[in-house]
Amino acid sequence: MRVGFFEFGDYMYRARSGQYQGLIFEFLQEISRTTGMRYKVVDCGNWTRSLQMLERDQIDLLPCVFFTPERAEKMLFPNLPLANSFMTISVRDDDSRYSFENHAALDGMRVGVVANTKNVPALEAFIREHGLRMILTPYIDMQSMLQALHDKELDGVGVSNLGKHSPFRVVAQFSPEPFYIAVNRSKPEILARLNDGLEKIMLRNPSYGQDLYGKYLSTNIAKLPVFTPEEQAYLREAGTITVAYDPTWAPLTYKHPETHEFYGIIADVFHRIQQMTGLKFQFVPMHQDRALSMVTGGEIDAVAALPGSFLWDKKLQVRTTRPYLRTAIAQISRDKPGQTQRIALQRGYLLSAHIAENNPDKTIRYYATLSDCLDAILSNEADVAYSNIYTANYLVKNSHYAGLVISPVDSYGSDLRVGISRQADPRLFAVLDKSLQFLPVEQIDDLVLKHSVPSRETTLTEFIAQYPLASFSALMLFFSVITMLLGINLAIKSSSNRRIQMLLHRDTLTGLSNLYKFRLDCASLLASAGGKGYAMLFGDISQFKTINDQFGFSTGDQLLCTYADILQRNVGDNELCARISADMYVLLLRDEGWENLAARLRQMDDALDIWRQKQEMPYKISTVYGAYAVSRAEGRDVQLMLDLANYARREAKRNGNMPLLFYDEHMRQEALLHQELNGRLETALKDGELVPWYQAKVDMRTGAIIGSEALARWNHPVHGLLMPGSFIPLFERNGLVMDIDLHIFEQVCKTMQSWRLRNLPLHTVSCNFSRLHFDRPEFPRQLAEIAERYSIPHEMLEVEITESAIMKNPEATWLRLIQLKQYGFKTAIDDFGSGYSSLGLVQMLNADVIKIDRSFVQRDLPGQRAQIVLSSIIRLALELEMAVICEGVETADQAAILMRLGCFKAQGFYYAVPEPEHEFEARLAMLIA
């Protein structure tokens, strides 16, 4: 079954190891064990796309779906939900403006929500109910929304409970609802199997879903409880809280043997509560029956450990918190119990009341402590006793009770809670109950492990007397181990060197040589090569990351090992191969010409494709290699050869994943230029070598200028005027293009300020920006600050991003474009139609302008089919209230055709070439004249 996946807190996430984890995947494993269903995880990217993929039959199952009547028409829902969740408003942990359930403070918040989720109407209902005003900002996926909250672009987010590991703090909870695994509407047979599995699980354990919910989503380990303003006031003014505990109930509650202070599992629970709240407790030891009398009368505030139920609470006139520890019940008796007519029970416990009620025909004898109950069994006053499993185990390990045995009792259970007097401040109950809610199960488990073994010292004589056979066996084992270790030590010494050599020279996954060994062997082989020519090859597997993401790391490792085997079979004598990292391999092959090398690589790719077909992978796997011809006349710097081959590999990938590309003189010259430009960029920006040139945009009907585009040029002191194509790709790769973009944008703003002061016509100017900016939440604010520095109205500035750049990360781009429009900037999609055309994408991005790529105009425009397509794009874009500009218009015929198709705005050499600032200013001045 194809299961849709998107990152969603502790419900489902992908760990660093690559494994899918969370509540959903544990539940799916349980369904698999029940029904035999097998799964293939499909990464949908985000919530919106996962819904679309379910409706388009690209996945079979989609977890974490809330029911709505509209969704029920598009997908199938099982009879039973997985569990119940609720909506929250969460804020940054350090944001002191908001406290839990202080709804008035939420007024005016900027709140992010994921579009197309049920969270949106739930949040709107919450806003109406409490009479609040909130600014709701939609996001296409949760990750970008949470990042925006982290970056302080939002005050809060409206999301389902995110679970223990959320870094954010909950300030409001509302709208609890069940969530389901939705099924593809065309797969009723899958729904039937899912229903069968869920019913079997719930019949076996009705609380299974909520137990998982508690495991993954109940509390946040890193967070303190969230208290209301009233509860916070109580914490500031509360005096000492008196708490009674049973000193005989080890390891749960007892006195420390040395300090005589309150000690045990429950003592540590209260210590955690004290750390969370700052409350001061006074712990008083007393038997349970006396403690119940005093807490009922209000003489003490609370009882540390009280098994509770509704009827028991009502009878005792106490309020009990949520349970913090569930204990199994044990029956204690002699080794060979006979009659069980006489039962010894401890006074004051709910368990004792239940057992007495269920055994009306037995003789019940009550004792003050469990030790007294066990002594009664030893003295033949009683046959059996009952207790929680922890205290029973603790006591029976004492040699005094060596003749007693423990048997678990399935018909009873006990949930320990804090019992609070009804005469105490009601806020005390709320504070303790919330504190226990935020006490993770993991910490309780640690406390149980810490205290479950008795700390009583046992002498060696007692131990040997109690376990004579075990003591003798241990002594013999000790001497045998010493003898064995002496022999093993010799073997280890002889094998350790071999192991070290293997680690130094071999790739542990594939068994190939590693880079260190490859360099050593290359130097040796080339030194003895004589007149033989070699080629150094550096390559990678093009689809490796996709395979890792879609099929998992295990399949990725299989691919790496398979390709390593193929290399070993195809590399001949006096040739080398190695894996250096991830999916990158290096080869030293005999150079028998480009065609021969290309044929050998194709043969290896074909062998890899045969393996791919056996694995039923849907697309062909290919490799890309860069090669460097090793000159017999040059030195043997292996690392330099690898670097040059790797440079050729990167060029091959930039040129459409060419299978093989040799490093040549052109690359060398380009590399030298790039190295020089890279080193000079900082100086060039400071000295004003990088400047904007302007190309006019015109209304083709009148020839009037309606705007311009700023294009980067580099006035290099040595190489002259450099076009963007000679340096922008370089700085796009290393990230420095962002400095160039912002520099050009600031120069444009400065120039526009000058034009306005000189009363020159002011039109919209568009600037190009790398996709890298759109991954940065602060980008829109940064542009706004620059524009405001020069007092340029935001609506006079247009932000351009290419269509291909959008496809790298459409969700992040969508979010940034929304923010840019909120700041008042215009937005444009450049080079539309150059490779990834999607009107659905255009509609989602809601840009102001679409710029038709020049290839449409210069290459395809004369054709009738191209004109039909272009006419449809123009018409649809205009209906979506987007302006259309055609780039690359160079002839009158092209202009005439475009106007006939309904496009009246253009940019191209027919109207104006890119011009330096002073020439473009002269053009503007002519407009005034």
Side-chain angles (χ1 to χ4, degrees), residues 137-154 738 769-784 799-801 805-806 809-828 844-848:
T137 303
Y139 288 79
I140 199 167
D141 69 278
M142 183 174 297
Q143 296 305 109
S144 57
M145 179 180 72
L146 296 181
Q147 185 63 46
L149 176 59
H150 177 271
D151 295 333
K152 300 184 179 180
E153 297 174 12
L154 298 170
M738 292 192 291
F769 289 92
S770 164
R771 66 175 180 82
L772 301 177
H773 293 282
F774 290 79
D775 294 331
R776 297 167 53 245
E778 68 274 15
F779 172 56
R781 185 178 67 251
Q782 197 170 11
L783 294 190
V799 176
E800 286 192 17
I801 181 171
I806 290 171
N809 191 349
E811 291 84 5
T813 305
W814 177 74
L815 175 60
R816 299 296 165 255
L817 290 179
I818 287 177
Q819 293 168 332
L820 286 165
K821 290 172 77 67
Q822 289 173 343
Y823 275 105
F825 293 107
K826 291 183 178 179
T827 58
M844 181 189 79
L845 294 176
N846 193 24
D848 297 295

Coordinates of all heavy atoms in Angstrom, one line a residue, residues 137-154 738 769-784 799-801 805-806 809-828 844-848:
T137 N -2.5 34.1 8.3 CA -1.7 34.0 7.1 C -1.6 32.5 6.7 O -1.1 31.7 7.4 CB -0.2 34.5 7.4 OG1 -0.3 35.9 7.9 CG2 0.6 34.5 6.2
P138 N -2.0 32.2 5.4 CA -2.0 30.8 5.0 C -0.6 30.4 4.5 O 0.1 31.2 3.9 CB -3.0 30.8 3.9 CG -3.0 32.2 3.3 CD -2.7 33.1 4.5
Y139 N -0.3 29.1 4.8 CA 1.0 28.5 4.3 C 0.7 27.2 3.6 O -0.3 26.5 3.9 CB 2.0 28.3 5.5 CG 2.5 29.5 6.0 CD1 1.8 30.3 6.9 CD2 3.8 30.0 5.7 CE1 2.3 31.5 7.4 CE2 4.4 31.1 6.2 CZ 3.6 31.9 7.1 OH 4.1 33.0 7.6
I140 N 1.5 26.9 2.7 CA 1.3 25.7 1.9 C 1.7 24.4 2.6 O 1.3 23.3 2.4 CB 2.0 25.8 0.5 CG1 1.3 24.7 -0.5 CG2 3.4 25.6 0.6 CD1 1.7 25.0 -1.9
D141 N 2.7 24.6 3.6 CA 3.1 23.4 4.3 C 3.5 23.9 5.7 O 3.8 25.0 6.0 CB 4.3 22.7 3.6 CG 5.5 23.5 3.7 OD1 5.7 24.4 2.8 OD2 6.4 23.3 4.6
M142 N 3.6 22.9 6.6 CA 3.8 23.2 8.0 C 5.2 23.6 8.3 O 5.5 24.5 9.1 CB 3.5 22.0 8.9 CG 3.7 22.2 10.4 SD 3.1 20.9 11.4 CE 1.4 20.8 11.0
Q143 N 6.2 23.1 7.6 CA 7.6 23.4 7.8 C 7.9 24.9 7.6 O 8.5 25.5 8.4 CB 8.5 22.5 6.9 CG 8.4 21.0 7.2 CD 8.7 20.7 8.6 OE1 7.8 20.3 9.4 NE2 9.9 20.8 9.1
S144 N 7.4 25.4 6.5 CA 7.7 26.8 6.2 C 6.9 27.7 7.2 O 7.4 28.8 7.6 CB 7.3 27.2 4.8 OG 5.9 26.9 4.6
M145 N 5.7 27.3 7.7 CA 5.0 28.0 8.7 C 5.7 28.1 10.0 O 5.9 29.1 10.6 CB 3.6 27.4 8.8 CG 2.7 28.2 9.9 SD 1.1 27.4 10.1 CE 1.5 25.9 10.9
L146 N 6.2 26.9 10.4 CA 6.9 26.9 11.7 C 8.2 27.6 11.6 O 8.7 28.3 12.6 CB 7.2 25.4 12.1 CG 6.0 24.6 12.4 CD1 6.4 23.1 12.8 CD2 5.1 25.2 13.5
Q147 N 8.9 27.6 10.4 CA 10.1 28.4 10.3 C 9.8 29.9 10.4 O 10.6 30.7 10.9 CB 10.7 28.1 8.9 CG 12.1 28.8 8.7 CD 13.1 28.3 9.6 OE1 13.3 27.1 9.9 NE2 13.9 29.3 10.2
A148 N 8.6 30.3 9.8 CA 8.2 31.7 9.9 C 8.0 32.1 11.4 O 8.3 33.2 11.8 CB 7.0 31.9 9.1
L149 N 7.4 31.2 12.2 CA 7.2 31.5 13.6 C 8.6 31.6 14.3 O 8.8 32.5 15.1 CB 6.4 30.4 14.2 CG 6.2 30.5 15.8 CD1 5.5 31.9 16.1 CD2 5.4 29.4 16.3
H150 N 9.5 30.7 14.0 CA 10.8 30.8 14.5 C 11.5 32.1 14.2 O 12.3 32.6 15.0 CB 11.6 29.6 14.1 CG 13.1 29.5 14.5 ND1 14.1 30.2 13.8 CD2 13.6 29.0 15.6 CE1 15.2 30.0 14.5 NE2 15.0 29.3 15.6
D151 N 11.3 32.5 12.9 CA 12.0 33.7 12.5 C 11.3 35.0 12.9 O 11.6 36.1 12.4 CB 12.2 33.7 11.0 CG 13.1 32.6 10.5 OD1 14.0 32.2 11.3 OD2 12.9 32.1 9.4
K152 N 10.2 34.9 13.7 CA 9.5 36.0 14.2 C 8.7 36.8 13.2 O 8.3 37.9 13.4 CB 10.4 37.0 15.0 CG 11.1 36.3 16.2 CD 11.9 37.3 17.0 CE 12.6 36.7 18.1 NZ 13.4 37.6 19.0
E153 N 8.4 36.1 12.1 CA 7.5 36.7 11.1 C 6.0 36.5 11.5 O 5.1 37.2 11.0 CB 7.7 36.0 9.7 CG 9.1 36.3 9.2 CD 9.3 35.5 7.9 OE1 8.3 35.0 7.3 OE2 10.5 35.4 7.4
L154 N 5.8 35.6 12.4 CA 4.5 35.3 13.0 C 4.5 35.4 14.5 O 5.6 35.2 15.1 CB 4.0 33.9 12.6 CG 3.8 33.6 11.1 CD1 3.5 32.1 10.9 CD2 2.6 34.4 10.6
M738 N 23.7 36.4 -4.1 CA 22.8 37.2 -3.3 C 23.4 38.6 -3.0 O 22.6 39.6 -2.9 CB 22.5 36.4 -2.0 CG 21.7 35.2 -2.2 SD 21.0 34.5 -0.7 CE 22.5 33.9 0.1
F769 N 16.3 38.3 -9.2 CA 16.8 37.7 -7.9 C 16.9 36.2 -8.0 O 16.1 35.5 -8.5 CB 15.8 38.1 -6.7 CG 15.9 39.5 -6.4 CD1 15.0 40.4 -6.9 CD2 16.8 40.0 -5.5 CE1 15.0 41.7 -6.6 CE2 16.8 41.3 -5.1 CZ 15.9 42.2 -5.7
S770 N 18.0 35.7 -7.4 CA 18.3 34.3 -7.4 C 17.3 33.6 -6.5 O 16.7 34.2 -5.6 CB 19.7 34.0 -6.8 OG 19.9 32.7 -6.5
R771 N 17.0 32.3 -6.8 CA 16.1 31.5 -6.0 C 16.6 31.4 -4.6 O 15.8 31.1 -3.6 CB 16.0 30.1 -6.6 CG 17.3 29.3 -6.5 CD 17.1 27.9 -7.0 NE 18.3 27.1 -6.9 CZ 18.8 26.6 -5.8 NH1 18.1 26.7 -4.7 NH2 20.0 25.9 -5.8
L772 N 17.9 31.6 -4.3 CA 18.5 31.5 -3.0 C 17.9 32.5 -2.0 O 17.7 32.2 -0.8 CB 20.0 31.7 -3.0 CG 20.8 30.7 -3.9 CD1 22.3 31.1 -3.9 CD2 20.6 29.3 -3.4
H773 N 17.5 33.6 -2.5 CA 16.8 34.6 -1.6 C 15.5 34.1 -1.1 O 15.1 34.4 0.0 CB 16.5 35.9 -2.4 CG 17.8 36.7 -2.8 ND1 18.5 37.4 -2.0 CD2 18.4 36.7 -4.1 CE1 19.5 38.0 -2.6 NE2 19.5 37.6 -3.9
F774 N 14.8 33.3 -1.9 CA 13.5 32.9 -1.5 C 13.4 31.8 -0.4 O 12.4 31.4 0.0 CB 12.7 32.4 -2.8 CG 12.4 33.6 -3.7 CD1 13.4 34.1 -4.5 CD2 11.1 34.2 -3.7 CE1 13.1 35.2 -5.4 CE2 10.9 35.3 -4.5 CZ 11.8 35.8 -5.3
D775 N 14.6 31.3 -0.1 CA 14.7 30.4 1.1 C 14.9 31.2 2.4 O 15.0 30.6 3.4 CB 15.9 29.4 0.9 CG 15.6 28.5 -0.3 OD1 14.4 28.2 -0.6 OD2 16.6 28.0 -0.9
R776 N 15.1 32.5 2.3 CA 15.4 33.3 3.5 C 14.2 34.1 3.9 O 13.7 35.0 3.2 CB 16.6 34.3 3.1 CG 17.9 33.6 2.8 CD 18.9 34.5 2.2 NE 19.1 35.7 3.0 CZ 18.8 36.9 2.6 NH1 18.3 37.1 1.4 NH2 19.1 37.9 3.4
P777 N 13.7 33.8 5.1 CA 12.5 34.5 5.6 C 12.6 36.1 5.6 O 11.7 36.8 5.5 CB 12.3 33.9 7.0 CG 13.0 32.6 7.0 CD 14.1 32.8 6.0
E778 N 13.9 36.5 5.9 CA 14.1 38.0 6.0 C 14.2 38.7 4.7 O 14.3 40.0 4.7 CB 15.3 38.2 6.9 CG 16.7 37.9 6.2 CD 17.0 36.4 6.4 OE1 16.2 35.6 6.8 OE2 18.2 36.1 6.2
F779 N 14.1 38.0 3.6 CA 14.4 38.6 2.3 C 13.4 39.8 2.0 O 13.8 40.9 1.6 CB 14.3 37.5 1.2 CG 14.3 38.1 -0.2 CD1 15.3 38.9 -0.7 CD2 13.3 37.7 -1.1 CE1 15.3 39.4 -2.0 CE2 13.3 38.2 -2.4 CZ 14.3 39.0 -2.8
P780 N 12.0 39.6 2.1 CA 11.1 40.7 1.8 C 11.4 41.9 2.7 O 11.3 43.0 2.2 CB 9.7 40.1 2.1 CG 9.9 38.6 1.9 CD 11.3 38.3 2.4
R781 N 11.6 41.7 4.0 CA 11.9 42.8 4.9 C 13.2 43.5 4.5 O 13.2 44.8 4.5 CB 12.0 42.3 6.3 CG 12.1 43.4 7.3 CD 12.2 42.9 8.7 NE 13.3 42.2 9.0 CZ 13.4 40.9 9.2 NH1 12.3 40.2 9.1 NH2 14.5 40.2 9.5
Q782 N 14.2 42.8 4.0 CA 15.4 43.4 3.6 C 15.2 44.3 2.4 O 15.8 45.4 2.4 CB 16.4 42.3 3.2 CG 17.9 42.7 3.2 CD 18.8 41.5 3.1 OE1 18.4 40.4 2.9 NE2 20.1 41.7 3.3
L783 N 14.4 43.9 1.4 CA 14.1 44.7 0.2 C 13.4 46.0 0.7 O 13.6 47.1 0.2 CB 13.3 44.0 -0.8 CG 14.0 42.8 -1.5 CD1 13.2 42.3 -2.7 CD2 15.4 43.1 -2.0
A784 N 12.4 45.8 1.6 CA 11.6 46.9 2.0 C 12.5 48.0 2.7 O 12.4 49.2 2.5 CB 10.5 46.5 3.0
V799 N 9.9 42.5 -8.4 CA 10.8 41.4 -8.1 C 10.6 40.2 -9.1 O 9.5 39.7 -9.2 CB 10.6 40.9 -6.7 CG1 11.5 39.7 -6.4 CG2 10.9 42.0 -5.7
E800 N 11.7 39.9 -9.9 CA 11.6 38.8 -10.9 C 12.3 37.6 -10.4 O 13.4 37.7 -9.8 CB 12.2 39.3 -12.2 CG 11.4 40.3 -13.0 CD 12.0 40.4 -14.4 OE1 12.7 39.6 -14.8 OE2 11.6 41.4 -15.1
I801 N 11.7 36.4 -10.6 CA 12.3 35.1 -10.3 C 12.0 34.2 -11.5 O 10.8 34.3 -12.0 CB 11.8 34.5 -9.0 CG1 12.6 33.2 -8.8 CG2 10.3 34.3 -8.9 CD1 12.4 32.5 -7.4
A805 N 13.7 28.5 -11.4 CA 14.1 28.7 -10.0 C 13.0 28.4 -9.1 O 13.1 27.8 -8.0 CB 14.6 30.1 -9.8
I806 N 11.7 28.8 -9.5 CA 10.6 28.5 -8.7 C 10.4 27.0 -8.4 O 10.1 26.6 -7.3 CB 9.3 29.1 -9.3 CG1 9.3 30.6 -9.3 CG2 8.0 28.5 -8.7 CD1 8.2 31.2 -10.2
N809 N 11.9 25.1 -5.3 CA 11.2 25.0 -4.0 C 10.0 25.9 -4.1 O 9.9 27.0 -3.6 CB 12.2 25.6 -2.9 CG 11.6 25.3 -1.5 OD1 10.4 25.0 -1.3 ND2 12.4 25.6 -0.5
P810 N 8.9 25.4 -4.7 CA 7.7 26.2 -5.0 C 7.0 26.6 -3.7 O 6.5 27.7 -3.7 CB 6.8 25.2 -5.8 CG 7.3 23.9 -5.6 CD 8.8 24.0 -5.3
E811 N 7.1 25.8 -2.6 CA 6.4 26.2 -1.4 C 7.0 27.5 -0.8 O 6.3 28.4 -0.4 CB 6.4 25.1 -0.4 CG 5.5 23.9 -0.8 CD 6.2 23.0 -1.8 OE1 7.4 23.2 -2.0 OE2 5.5 22.0 -2.2
A812 N 8.4 27.5 -0.7 CA 9.1 28.6 -0.1 C 8.9 29.8 -1.0 O 8.7 31.0 -0.5 CB 10.6 28.3 0.0
T813 N 8.9 29.7 -2.3 CA 8.7 30.8 -3.3 C 7.3 31.4 -3.1 O 7.1 32.6 -3.0 CB 8.9 30.3 -4.7 OG1 10.2 29.7 -4.8 CG2 8.8 31.5 -5.7
W814 N 6.3 30.5 -3.0 CA 4.9 31.0 -2.8 C 4.8 31.8 -1.5 O 4.2 32.9 -1.6 CB 4.0 29.7 -2.7 CG 2.6 30.0 -2.4 CD1 1.7 30.5 -3.2 CD2 1.9 29.8 -1.2 NE1 0.5 30.6 -2.6 CE2 0.6 30.2 -1.3 CE3 2.3 29.3 0.1 CZ2 -0.4 30.1 -0.3 CZ3 1.4 29.2 1.1 CH2 0.1 29.6 0.9
L815 N 5.5 31.4 -0.5 CA 5.4 32.1 0.8 C 6.1 33.5 0.6 O 5.5 34.5 1.1 CB 6.1 31.3 1.9 CG 6.2 32.0 3.3 CD1 4.8 32.4 3.8 CD2 6.9 31.1 4.2
R816 N 7.3 33.5 0.0 CA 8.0 34.8 -0.1 C 7.2 35.8 -1.0 O 7.2 37.0 -0.8 CB 9.4 34.6 -0.7 CG 10.3 33.7 0.2 CD 10.6 34.3 1.6 NE 11.1 33.3 2.4 CZ 10.5 32.7 3.4 NH1 9.2 33.1 3.7 NH2 11.0 31.8 4.1
L817 N 6.6 35.2 -2.1 CA 5.8 36.1 -3.0 C 4.7 36.7 -2.3 O 4.3 37.9 -2.5 CB 5.4 35.4 -4.2 CG 6.5 34.9 -5.2 CD1 5.9 34.2 -6.4 CD2 7.2 36.1 -5.7
I818 N 4.0 36.0 -1.4 CA 2.9 36.5 -0.6 C 3.4 37.6 0.3 O 2.8 38.7 0.4 CB 2.3 35.4 0.3 CG1 1.4 34.5 -0.6 CG2 1.4 36.0 1.4 CD1 0.8 33.3 0.1
Q819 N 4.6 37.4 0.9 CA 5.1 38.4 1.8 C 5.6 39.7 1.0 O 5.4 40.8 1.5 CB 6.3 37.8 2.6 CG 5.9 36.7 3.5 CD 7.1 36.0 4.1 OE1 8.1 35.9 3.4 NE2 7.0 35.4 5.3
L820 N 6.1 39.5 -0.2 CA 6.5 40.6 -1.0 C 5.3 41.4 -1.4 O 5.4 42.7 -1.3 CB 7.3 40.1 -2.2 CG 8.7 39.6 -2.0 CD1 9.2 38.8 -3.3 CD2 9.6 40.8 -1.7
K821 N 4.2 40.8 -1.7 CA 3.0 41.5 -2.1 C 2.4 42.2 -0.9 O 1.9 43.3 -1.0 CB 2.0 40.5 -2.7 CG 2.4 40.0 -4.1 CD 1.5 38.9 -4.6 CE 0.2 39.5 -5.1 NZ 0.3 40.3 -6.3
Q822 N 2.6 41.6 0.3 CA 2.1 42.3 1.5 C 2.9 43.6 1.8 O 2.4 44.5 2.3 CB 2.2 41.3 2.7 CG 1.2 40.2 2.7 CD 1.4 39.2 3.8 OE1 2.5 39.1 4.4 NE2 0.4 38.4 4.1
Y823 N 4.2 43.6 1.4 CA 5.0 44.8 1.5 C 4.7 45.8 0.4 O 5.2 46.9 0.4 CB 6.5 44.4 1.5 CG 7.1 44.0 2.9 CD1 7.3 42.7 3.2 CD2 7.3 45.0 3.8 CE1 7.9 42.3 4.4 CE2 7.8 44.6 5.1 CZ 8.1 43.3 5.3 OH 8.6 42.9 6.6
G824 N 3.9 45.4 -0.6 CA 3.6 46.3 -1.7 C 4.4 46.1 -2.9 O 4.2 46.9 -3.9
F825 N 5.4 45.2 -3.0 CA 6.2 45.0 -4.2 C 5.4 44.3 -5.3 O 4.5 43.5 -4.9 CB 7.4 44.2 -3.9 CG 8.4 44.9 -3.0 CD1 8.6 44.5 -1.7 CD2 9.2 46.0 -3.5 CE1 9.5 45.1 -0.8 CE2 10.1 46.6 -2.6 CZ 10.2 46.2 -1.3
K826 N 5.7 44.6 -6.5 CA 5.1 43.8 -7.6 C 6.0 42.5 -7.8 O 7.2 42.6 -7.5 CB 5.1 44.6 -8.9 CG 4.0 45.7 -8.9 CD 4.0 46.4 -10.2 CE 2.9 47.5 -10.1 NZ 2.8 48.3 -11.4
T827 N 5.4 41.5 -8.4 CA 6.2 40.2 -8.6 C 6.0 39.8 -10.0 O 4.9 39.9 -10.6 CB 5.7 39.1 -7.6 OG1 4.3 38.9 -7.7 CG2 6.0 39.6 -6.2
A828 N 7.0 39.1 -10.5 CA 7.0 38.7 -11.9 C 7.7 37.3 -12.0 O 8.7 37.0 -11.4 CB 7.7 39.7 -12.9
M844 N -1.4 29.5 -8.4 CA -1.0 29.4 -7.0 C -0.1 30.5 -6.6 O -0.3 31.2 -5.5 CB -0.4 28.1 -6.7 CG 0.0 27.8 -5.3 SD 1.0 26.4 -5.0 CE 2.6 27.1 -5.5
L845 N 0.9 30.9 -7.4 CA 1.8 31.9 -7.0 C 1.2 33.3 -7.1 O 1.7 34.2 -6.5 CB 3.0 31.8 -7.9 CG 3.9 30.6 -7.8 CD1 5.0 30.5 -8.8 CD2 4.4 30.5 -6.4
N846 N 0.2 33.5 -8.0 CA -0.5 34.8 -8.0 C 0.4 36.0 -8.2 O 0.4 37.0 -7.5 CB -1.3 35.0 -6.7 CG -2.3 36.1 -6.9 OD1 -2.8 36.4 -8.0 ND2 -2.7 36.7 -5.8
A847 N 1.3 35.8 -9.2 CA 2.2 36.9 -9.5 C 1.5 38.0 -10.3 O 0.4 37.9 -10.8 CB 3.4 36.4 -10.4
D848 N 2.1 39.2 -10.3 CA 1.5 40.3 -11.0 C 1.8 40.3 -12.5 O 1.0 40.8 -13.3 CB 2.1 41.7 -10.5 CG 1.7 41.9 -9.0 OD1 0.5 42.0 -8.7 OD2 2.6 41.9 -8.2

